[in-house]
Amino acid sequence: MIHLFKLNLFLLLSVNCLILADPKIQDSKISDNILIYKNMPTGKPVALLNIDEFNSFLDELKEQDQRLSIMMEMQPEQILKDSLISRERSYIIADWAKTNNVRTSKEYLEKKAKLAEHVTNMLDGEAFLAAHKVDIKESDVRDYYNKNKEQMISRPGGIETIGISFADEKKALDFLQKLEKNPKADFTKLVISEKITTDLNNIEDFGAINQQSYSVDELIKKAVLDLDKFPAVKLVKVESDDTCSKDIKYWVIQAKEKREAEYMSFEEVADRIRQMLQPSKIKDMLDVVLPELANKYNIKINNQAFDKLVSKFKSNAERNFAAMQDLEVKDSKPELVTKK
């Protein structure tokens, strides 16, 4: 994980290093507050990174990757060292780029302009949303909770069931009769006291069986779900689907009780629901505000040009599809071998 973090951090810093703060000339003695500096030809050092700036940088990284906070607690010295070395490399690469006139090349400037445009659009969007905050009312959150409560299960409902399988039907019936005398008996203790098996792994705790219990054999599931009184015991014959060998098992099951599903409380999920509702609320806001601003700033889509563009794309798609069909037909035809 450390190596992956170092690689990702280095790549990130290689981008961040393109924008550097104006260095401040320090006295010949370097302050303990300075972590990275550069010796100038004049003999005076230039501060590149102080402790406060480094801490701010670490806080930004923690926001981007929450694992870093945990790693800092486990290996603080190693993470700080890796981070500082990566920051140092960013300044080294920055000076290399300046010295080799990399930043004046056409390709570099075009990429930088695209990145700058992307960053500008992102910051504009953040500022726009901050200025047009959506209001998610408590009633909206509660209404969503009430409508979707069935999906917010903390503990599934169903019929608590436990069972044991037998290869011999007579043994299964014998144990069933003993269990029928006391349907409320502790299933596992009864298995042990009656010396049914020495391997408790033969006992299967099915948990709460319901219609969504896909891992439970359908015959067992149906037998349990058909019950209406609890506790109850039942014998279920299950045949394997193996066509080579017919394996038959006789399951003695104890359906202890029917348990209703438990749901997360409104307080537990309210914040998550707000987050879920936010995108739709933002969309509703944009649908109202943006058309007004479009009229204010006279920004419009040229629908005629757009229709031509769509038509061109459709034509290209149709041609490509026809070419693919011709190729498939050609490949499906058998080759004729000419006898000499």
Side-chain angles (χ1 to χ4, degrees):
M1 183 179 287
I2 293 294
H3 295 298
L4 180 62
F5 167 74
K6 288 168 67 176
L7 177 59
N8 291 338
L9 186 60
F10 175 71
L11 293 175
L12 176 63
L13 293 172
S14 297
V15 176
N16 288 345
C17 73
L18 300 179
I19 305 173
L20 301 176
D22 291 332
K24 299 179 178 62
I25 301 295
Q26 304 291 319
D27 295 331
S28 56
K29 184 179 179 181
I30 296 296
S31 166
D32 289 339
N33 188 47
I34 303 304
L35 289 173
I36 300 177
Y37 65 93
K38 176 180 178 179
N39 282 322
M40 303 299 289
T42 59
K44 289 187 177 182
V46 175
L48 298 178
L49 183 73
N50 63 38
I51 289 177
D52 289 340
E53 292 167 337
F54 185 60
N55 285 333
S56 297
F57 167 71
L58 289 175
D59 289 340
E60 290 177 11
L61 287 180
K62 289 176 185 177
E63 289 181 7
Q64 295 171 16
D65 190 346
Q66 295 179 351
R67 293 174 300 175
L68 182 60
S69 297
I70 301 173
M71 292 164 65
M72 283 284 288
E73 294 179 3
M74 296 170 60
Q75 298 175 302
E77 183 178 356
Q78 186 65 46
I79 298 301
L80 289 172
K81 183 179 179 181
D82 289 345
S83 303
L84 189 61
I85 289 175
S86 297
R87 204 74 177 105
E88 178 198 29
R89 288 174 178 173
S90 72
Y91 292 114
I92 295 171
I93 293 174
D95 269 15
W96 172 86
K98 292 175 185 175
T99 304
N100 290 275
N101 297 319
V102 171
R103 296 183 178 182
T104 58
S105 70
K106 181 181 177 182
E107 181 183 4
Y108 181 97
L109 292 173
E110 286 177 351
K111 288 182 178 180
K112 184 178 179 181
K114 288 179 180 178
L115 284 172
E117 182 182 5
H118 174 74
V119 172
T120 299
N121 290 338
M122 182 182 68
L123 295 176
D124 288 346
E126 289 180 359
F128 182 84
L129 291 178
H132 300 80
K133 290 183 178 179
V134 295
D135 180 27
I136 301 176
K137 299 177 181 178
E138 187 81 2
S139 58
D140 294 334
V141 179
R142 194 168 289 278
D143 182 57
Y144 182 92
Y145 174 78
N146 292 333
K147 290 180 179 178
N148 298 276
K149 184 179 177 181
E150 296 294 323
Q151 301 174 23
M152 303 178 192
I153 298 174
S154 59
R155 190 182 183 196
I159 300 171
E160 289 284 353
T161 307
I162 191 170
I164 187 170
S165 65
F166 295 84
D168 185 273
E169 185 178 12
K170 185 179 182 305
K171 289 182 179 180
L173 287 169
D174 288 342
F175 181 65
L176 177 67
Q177 290 173 0
K178 292 172 182 176
L179 192 58
E180 284 176 333
K181 293 177 182 178
N182 185 11
K184 295 181 180 180
D186 184 304
F187 192 88
T188 303
K189 286 183 179 179
L190 186 62
V191 168
I192 295 172
S193 64
E194 295 296 330
K195 298 179 181 179
I196 302 300
T197 179
T198 56
D199 187 2
L200 294 182
N201 290 325
N202 291 333
I203 298 174
E204 180 81 25
D205 188 348
F206 296 101
I209 293 180
N210 53 46
Q211 291 292 353
Q212 284 71 47
S213 300
Y214 301 112
S215 61
V216 178
D217 185 273
E218 286 296 321
L219 291 174
I220 295 176
K221 182 165 76 172
K222 184 179 185 308
V224 171
L225 295 180
D226 285 345
L227 297 171
D228 54 8
K229 291 182 181 180
F230 306 95
V233 296
K234 202 162 188 178
L235 178 69
V236 182
K237 180 182 176 182
V238 177
E239 296 183 16
S240 69
D241 295 330
D242 192 348
T243 54
C244 297
S245 60
K246 202 169 187 180
D247 184 24
I248 300 176
K249 288 184 178 180
Y250 299 91
W251 281 90
V252 176
I253 57 174
Q254 179 191 52
K256 301 176 183 179
E257 61 179 348
K258 189 172 185 179
R259 186 182 74 201
E260 297 299 324
E262 295 178 12
Y263 302 94
M264 289 182 278
S265 67
F266 175 76
E267 290 72 21
E268 288 180 287
V269 296
D271 288 340
R272 275 183 279 172
I273 292 175
R274 285 189 186 92
Q275 292 176 359
M276 291 170 60
L277 293 177
Q278 193 174 35
S280 63
K281 291 290 183 181
I282 290 175
K283 181 182 180 302
D284 293 341
M285 177 273 292
L286 294 176
D287 289 343
V288 173
V289 175
L290 289 184
E292 295 174 356
L293 293 177
N295 289 330
K296 179 179 179 180
Y297 301 124
N298 292 317
I299 297 176
K300 301 181 183 300
I301 290 177
N302 185 345
N303 289 316
Q304 184 176 352
F306 177 73
D307 290 341
K308 288 183 179 179
L309 180 64
V310 171
S311 178
K312 182 179 179 180
F313 269 82
K314 284 183 176 180
S315 297
N316 289 338
E318 289 172 358
R319 282 197 298 271
N320 291 337
F321 182 72
M324 288 176 61
Q325 283 188 317
D326 290 343
L327 186 61
E328 289 176 0
V329 171
K330 184 178 180 180
D331 290 342
S332 64
K333 290 181 178 180
E335 293 185 9
L336 297 176
V337 179
T338 305
K339 293 184 179 180
K340 293 183 180 180

